[in-house]
C-alpha cells in the first residue's frame, strides 16, 4: 500500500510466503504515478525484505530529494523574483549529475 508522508503507517495486506509480485509492482506503479503527477508526499513501505525493501528505500530517498530540490528552487525564485533579493542560492546537499547541474543553473540565475 502506498503511504502518504505525515500519516500513520498503514499495515500491508497479509501475503502468502513468497509474496505477490503483481501486488508489489502495483504499489511501485502507484508510487511512480503519484510522483510523476507531482505528489512528493508518497512513500513506499520499507517493511519488506530483500530487493523490495531496497527499491522502497531508493524510491523514498528519490522522492525526498525531489521534494527538497523543489522547495529550494521555489524559495530562490521567491527571494529573487518577488522580494528582489539577488544572490539567493539553492542548497541541496548530496546532489550529483543532472540534479547538480540544475541546482548550479538556478544559483547562476539568482
Amino acid at each position: 500500500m502506498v503511504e502518504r508522508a505525515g500519516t500513520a503507517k498503514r499495515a500491508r495486506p497479509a501475503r502468502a510466503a513468497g509474496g505477490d509480485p503483481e501486488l508489489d509492482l502495483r504499489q511501485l506503479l502507484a508510487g511512480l504515478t503519484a510522483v510523476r503527477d507531482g505528489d512528493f508526499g508518497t512513500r513506499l513501505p520499507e517493511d519488506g525484505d530483500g530487493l523490495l525493501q531496497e527499491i522502497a528505500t531508493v524510491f523514498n530517498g528519490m522522492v525526498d530529494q525531489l521534494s527538497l530540490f523543489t522547495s529550494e528552487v521555489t524559495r530562490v525564485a521567491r527571494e529573487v523574483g518577488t522580494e528582489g533579493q539577488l544572490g539567493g542560492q539553492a542548497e541541496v546537499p548530496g546532489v550529483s549529475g543532472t540534479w547538480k547541474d540544475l541546482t548550479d543553473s538556478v544559483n547562476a540565475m539568482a
Side-chain angles (χ1 to χ4, degrees):
M1 181 170 292
V2 175
E3 300 169 2
R4 299 270 308 141
T7 61
K9 192 169 190 174
R10 293 182 280 182
R12 288 178 94 175
R15 298 189 328 206
D20 180 350
E22 184 171 340
L23 176 61
D24 294 327
L25 288 175
R26 289 202 178 280
Q27 288 178 321
L28 179 58
L29 178 60
L32 291 169
T33 301
V35 171
R36 179 203 63 197
D37 294 342
D39 179 358
F40 297 152
T42 297
R43 299 289 182 271
L44 294 179
E46 295 183 37
D47 58 350
D49 57 357
L51 183 59
L52 289 174
Q53 184 178 19
E54 289 180 49
I55 289 170
T57 299
V58 169
F59 176 90
N60 294 341
M62 177 189 70
V63 172
D64 290 341
Q65 194 76 5
L66 286 168
S67 181
L68 179 59
F69 181 78
T70 301
S71 295
E72 283 296 289
V73 169
T74 301
R75 180 185 60 78
V76 170
R78 185 188 67 250
E79 286 178 2
V80 174
T82 304
E83 300 169 6
Q85 298 176 7
L86 298 179
Q89 298 290 290
E91 297 177 22
V92 188
V95 293
S96 60
T98 301
W99 292 112
K100 183 171 182 343
D101 294 343
L102 287 169
T103 302
D104 292 345
S105 294
V106 166
N107 289 338
M109 181 181 61

